[in-house]
Amino acid sequence: MILRVLRVGLLRLRHNPVEVLLALVVPVVFFTIFALIFDKQLGAGKTKPIRVATVDCDGSELSQQLLDSVAADDLVLHNKLADRHGADDPGPTYQQAGDLVLRGDVTISIAVQEGWTDSLETDNPLPLLVIADTSDPVAPRMIESVLQRAFGESRAEAQATALKESAAKIESIKANALAGGPAASDPTASPSDLPGLPPPAVPSAETSSQTQPTPAALAPLEVQKVDLFGDGKANPVVSMYAAGIAVMFLLFSATGNAGSLLDEEENQTLERLMCSRLGMTQLLLGKWLTLGVVGVIQVAVMFAWAQLVFGVNVLAKLPGFTLMTLATVAAASSLALVLAAACKSRGQLNAVSVILILTMSALGGSMVPRYLMSESMQQMGRLTFNAWAIDGYNKLFWRDLPLAELGPELAVLGGSAVALLLVARLLARRWEMA
Amino acid sequence: MLLAAHQIEKRFGELTALHGVSLHVEQGERLALLGPNGAGKTTFVRCLCGRLSPNAGWVEMMGKRLPPRGGRAELGFVPQELAIYPDLTARENLSAFGRFHGVSGRRLRDRVTWALEWTGLADRQHSLVKTFSGGMKRRVNIACGVLHRPRVLLLDEPTVGVDPQSRERIFTMLDQLSEEGAAIVLTTHHLEEAEQRCDRIVIIDHGRIAAEGTLADLIAGTIGPQRRVKVKLVDPLQQVNGFALDPDGRGLQAKIADVARDLPQLISEVDGAGGRIADIEVHAPTLHAVFLHLTGKELRE
């Protein structure tokens, strides 16, 4: 009897290839996506390069060496702003460096302040500014390590150069003394007293601040982290996850609801509707609006919860939130109608939508933040609604960008909504008439 | 003629589902469309509704040729399946389908109230349809197709899967519409429905009209009006003059044209042969017999 039950179960599976496909293909698809996201990164002991911009307002040899060394690091994908070229050219500003981070063009901007090199010889050395997008909490720490290492290397190089120069000067002084020159009158002069000579050794950044009090010249690099996003926000990172989850479930609920078209086809309600005065275009638009209303409520509830419980300030960004939500919901509803119109049955729709939505969500950043992905994966993610929607919500709640900055996201989502709705209408012709 | 179909031909790839089917229906007439499974009944109804575009032929309504699609506001259609929203109440369903058929405002409210009374569901108007019995759902299904007062109502097997009481109620509802002047065209496999409840019958087979007319016309044109008589005998007989006996000699069957004239003669012949009659059955010709005569006994899958 038990074996008969097993046999019946297996036979039923055999007669439902879509279920089998779902059970076999979905895990493989997801394994592939996540393998592509993390391959050659965490598993291989490597980390994805961090997009970094550098601004050199100091313009010294040391600062240049330092930034060159940072740029050459394997961990860094460098986006170099122009250096200062002279008194007439003010060069890139701290503001520009910050803007790059704000817009998400780079994860971190490193700014060397004017007079930084000179300040190293004082008791109060100027810090290097690390302007960070703290939605990626790992990147600033990694960049600080890179900076400390690069600083040590740059100082060592400068020290070696200075030692050579000092040695040359000593040789010159000795030669002068032997010839009866001015140095002969100061027998106590030593190389370290000579101007510009660096200290004999620079300890590592990790140990310098822990072992013994050191003079300013031996101190590790002072780094000041500037958080452009998190300051003043109750729980800023949550907005990212709210957007990611909201979009994913929006797609799920929209495709589920759009499946009512297939139910109506199966029970002949569609046949009856098409015999009435209702046209297919009206029917699709009505369905689209239904999906839209449900979607807007769903996203609104999600963000209302995010505001109430996690402190995401949705009300302060209400116009932008409304526009983003309308565009996202419109696009998701259109996609759902395309899927419903393209599929032959509810079962087929379920299988296709689960695979498509989970893939879109994985690539688009609903499951794993896109900054963890390689550049190519990030670009691939831009083919999904999730990425555009999440980027738009992030611009609002994370980056605090003005409404006008939502242009690309609104255009892509809105354009997709219209285009997909037209595709759905074309596909729905099969229901109109045989 | 209220509705007429002329030489409707419909092909699906290699398969020709309808071979030039023509019929007409008059005001207040109840027309039954019979045929085995796959005979082309539903395809023909869909062509009438404008849901299928015929490859040849056309449909006319009140003398006006209809386009392949649309222009059928005077037509009502009730599909075979329960084409209603189970998660809406009876009233909500009626309101929705009334609106889809172009009825609105006060007229819609009046029609919905009428439909609830007509179906006997006024006291359940606020209940979700999914909580209804099969017969109640069928009544809502029909009511959703008549809110716009169609002149012709097309019903695809409207009583499938319902109990005799519900079936009776449904036909009472349809009779009411017919009395108000609407023409009813229904497809059915219940031959007694066609026989008892319809004025005219059309039998379709293999995409062609096999026979058409009143029951009497069909009988006259096929198996003839003779009654079939079955006589059971108490004791077996060897021979009865003019009638063939069953192999065991305990019964005989005969066809008689006139019961009053021919039945006494049969009884007299049995008496004359020394037989004693245990029972006599006289069967009038039925639509069932006509149907099998026209379409054969072979299964249609």
Side-chain angles (χ1 to χ4, degrees):
Chain A
M1 283 297 203
I2 295 169
L3 287 177
R4 178 55 60 178
V5 172
L6 171 68
R7 185 175 156 74
V8 169
L10 293 176
L11 282 172
R12 292 185 66 189
L13 273 181
R14 191 179 139 199
H15 294 305
N16 290 287
V18 171
E19 278 181 36
V20 178
L21 187 80
L22 200 64
L24 298 180
V25 171
V26 171
V28 172
V29 168
F30 277 85
F31 163 70
T32 308
I33 291 171
F34 283 100
L36 286 171
I37 290 172
F38 295 114
D39 188 34
K40 297 176 184 171
Q41 291 179 30
L42 304 179
K46 289 184 179 177
T47 306
K48 183 179 76 69
I50 300 161
R51 284 175 298 153
V52 174
T54 54
V55 183
D56 188 359
C57 295
D58 188 44
S60 68
E61 196 177 334
L62 181 64
S63 67
Q64 200 163 344
Q65 274 178 357
L66 173 71
L67 294 182
D68 287 348
S69 183
V70 167
D73 198 289
D74 288 344
L75 285 173
V76 170
L77 194 66
H78 190 222
N79 178 350
K80 190 177 184 182
L81 293 172
D83 293 333
R84 172 174 284 197
H85 297 296
D88 297 336
D89 178 7
T93 62
Y94 169 84
Q95 184 64 40
Q96 284 173 300
D99 282 349
L100 282 175
V101 178
L102 269 175
R103 290 173 192 282
D105 294 336
V106 297
T107 308
I108 285 174
S109 277
I110 301 168
V112 185
Q113 300 181 81
E114 189 170 4
W116 172 74
T117 304
D118 293 340
S119 78
L120 293 177
E121 304 301 328
T122 67
D123 290 337
N124 292 309
L126 286 170
L128 273 186
L129 300 179
V130 172
I131 307 158
D133 177 351
T134 47
S135 64
D136 181 350
V138 180
R141 292 180 188 178
M142 286 169 56
I143 286 301
E144 190 176 346
S145 300
V146 169
L147 277 170
Q148 294 292 0
R149 191 174 63 201
F151 181 64
E153 287 169 1
S154 304
R155 290 298 299 264
E157 203 173 308
Q159 185 183 25
T161 308
L163 277 171
K164 277 183 193 168
E165 286 172 1
S166 300
K169 278 189 178 177
I170 289 166
E171 288 305 316
S172 166
I173 289 165
K174 279 181 181 173
N176 282 343
L178 288 172
S185 59
D186 184 8
T188 61
S190 75
S192 60
D193 294 332
L194 293 172
L197 186 68
V202 177
S204 72
E206 289 80 5
T207 54
S208 64
S209 58
Q210 293 167 2
T211 50
Q212 58 190 11
T214 55
L218 294 177
L221 178 66
E222 289 287 331
V223 173
Q224 184 185 337
K225 284 182 207 157
V226 182
D227 183 356
L228 291 180
F229 303 102
D231 293 344
K233 291 175 183 164
N235 204 343
V237 182
V238 168
S239 64
M240 290 179 62
Y241 299 111
I245 299 293
V247 175
M248 181 165 72
F249 281 92
L250 175 67
L251 284 166
F252 271 123
S253 71
T255 47
N257 291 334
S260 66
L261 273 168
L262 294 164
D263 297 337
E264 287 168 11
E265 182 189 17
E266 200 174 308
N267 67 18
Q268 293 191 320
T269 308
L270 200 56
E271 182 91 350
R272 163 172 262 166
L273 291 174
M274 289 299 99
C275 286
S276 72
R277 294 190 183 188
L278 184 72
M280 183 50 81
T281 303
Q282 291 170 306
L283 176 65
L284 281 186
L285 284 174
K287 293 277 181 192
W288 185 74
L289 283 174
T290 309
L291 300 181
V293 169
V294 173
V296 166
I297 292 170
Q298 193 180 4
V299 176
V301 167
M302 181 89 187
F303 275 89
W305 181 255
Q307 167 133 24
L308 284 172
V309 179
F310 297 103
V312 178
N313 199 355
V314 180
L315 288 176
K317 306 281 183 180
L318 203 53
F321 170 74
T322 307
L323 284 175
M324 271 309 299
T325 301
L326 287 176
T328 306
V329 167
S333 303
S334 296
L335 177 67
L337 286 180
V338 167
L339 291 177
C343 289
K344 293 281 190 302
S345 66
R346 189 55 113 142
Q348 200 179 53
L349 175 68
N350 289 344
V352 170
S353 61
V354 164
I355 292 174
L356 186 73
I357 294 169
L358 289 181
T359 305
M360 284 173 65
S361 300
L363 286 175
S366 283
M367 294 179 178
V368 179
R370 283 172 65 229
Y371 59 72
L372 286 179
M373 302 177 193
S374 65
E375 279 298 311
S376 58
M377 289 287 283
Q378 288 191 34
Q379 289 307 317
M380 209 186 295
R382 292 183 84 81
L383 294 172
T384 70
F385 292 155
N386 305 60
W388 288 96
I390 293 168
D391 282 356
Y393 283 116
N394 281 346
K395 280 184 175 178
L396 276 178
F397 297 116
W398 179 243
R399 302 186 188 283
D400 281 330
L401 293 177
L403 209 60
E405 294 289 334
L406 296 177
E409 284 76 19
L410 291 175
V412 169
L413 290 169
S416 303
V418 174
L420 286 171
L421 197 55
L422 291 173
V423 173
R425 179 64 188 86
L426 284 176
L427 291 170
R429 288 183 68 185
R430 73 182 170 98
W431 285 318
E432 278 185 292
M433 200 154 182
Chain B
M1 277 187 298
L2 197 55
L3 179 78
H6 299 277
Q7 296 298 315
I8 300 288
E9 189 176 309
K10 181 65 191 174
R11 291 188 296 273
F12 297 103
E14 296 288 302
L15 177 80
T16 303
L18 295 174
H19 298 265
V21 175
S22 300
L23 63 73
H24 68 275
V25 61
E26 306 289 346
Q27 187 173 343
E29 190 179 22
R30 294 166 300 178
L31 178 77
L33 215 53
L34 305 183
N37 290 330
K41 302 183 300 290
T42 301
T43 303
F44 183 62
V45 169
R46 293 188 78 202
C47 286
L48 292 178
C49 292
R51 291 289 297 132
L52 281 178
S53 181
N55 297 98
W58 73 96
V59 180
E60 228 176 68
M61 189 136 186
M62 293 181 286
K64 213 171 149 185
R65 189 168 169 158
L66 297 177
R69 274 180 61 196
R72 285 161 168 82
E74 304 285 348
L75 216 81
F77 172 57
V78 179
Q80 182 181 344
E81 300 290 329
L82 292 167
I84 45 181
Y85 296 109
D87 39 11
L88 294 186
T89 66
R91 177 172 276 278
E92 287 164 346
N93 264 292
L94 291 166
S95 296
F97 284 103
R99 189 71 196 89
F100 292 144
H101 279 289
V103 188
S104 58
R106 186 179 176 79
R107 188 171 163 242
L108 177 62
R109 284 194 297 278
D110 291 347
R111 288 298 290 164
V112 168
T113 305
W114 167 83
L116 288 166
E117 294 294 334
W118 182 59
T119 52
L121 294 170
D123 57 333
R124 297 291 304 274
Q125 60 180 297
H126 297 301
S127 301
L128 295 180
V129 166
K130 65 182 174 189
T131 64
F132 285 5
S133 69
M136 291 159 81
K137 286 176 185 168
R138 285 272 156 205
R139 270 137 60 196
V140 178
N141 197 34
I142 294 171
C144 286
V146 300
L147 288 153
H148 59 301
R149 284 185 180 275
R151 286 175 178 268
V152 179
L153 181 61
L154 303 170
L155 302 106
D156 195 1
E157 301 197 32
T159 58
V160 70
V162 299
D163 59 31
Q165 289 82 0
S166 293
R167 195 177 299 166
E168 186 59 32
R169 174 74 197 215
I170 286 168
F171 274 100
T172 305
M173 286 162 52
L174 296 180
D175 288 347
Q176 233 176 300
L177 291 179
S178 171
E179 283 160 18
E180 288 169 13
I184 311 279
V185 178
L186 63 92
T187 72
T188 181
H189 285 295
H190 293 287
L191 300 183
E192 72 278 14
E193 285 178 0
E195 195 175 324
Q196 295 160 15
R197 296 291 195 163
C198 294
D199 307 309
R200 205 150 55 89
I201 297 161
V202 173
I203 297 177
I204 296 184
D205 196 18
H206 297 299
R208 290 186 171 86
I209 291 190
E212 178 183 359
T214 61
L215 180 58
D217 294 338
L218 294 179
I219 289 169
T222 53
I223 55 176
Q226 296 128 316
R227 263 61 174 165
R228 197 159 49 88
V229 180
K230 283 173 88 175
V231 178
K232 276 189 182 171
L233 301 170
V234 177
D235 302 309
L237 286 177
Q238 296 295 321
Q239 188 184 337
V240 176
N241 197 19
F243 296 96
L245 280 163
D246 291 344
D248 61 0
R250 289 186 174 276
L252 62 85
Q253 294 191 29
K255 281 189 175 178
I256 54 174
D258 187 332
V259 176
R261 186 191 66 201
D262 298 336
L263 192 58
Q265 189 191 338
L266 172 62
I267 294 168
S268 152
E269 290 293 342
V270 172
D271 277 346
R276 285 191 299 146
I277 294 174
D279 192 15
I280 294 182
E281 290 175 25
V282 180
H283 296 279
T286 60
L287 183 58
H288 183 82
V290 172
F291 187 82
L292 289 180
H293 176 85
L294 287 168
T295 60
K297 290 185 176 174
E298 199 180 322
L299 276 175
R300 306 291 176 84
E301 305 295 352

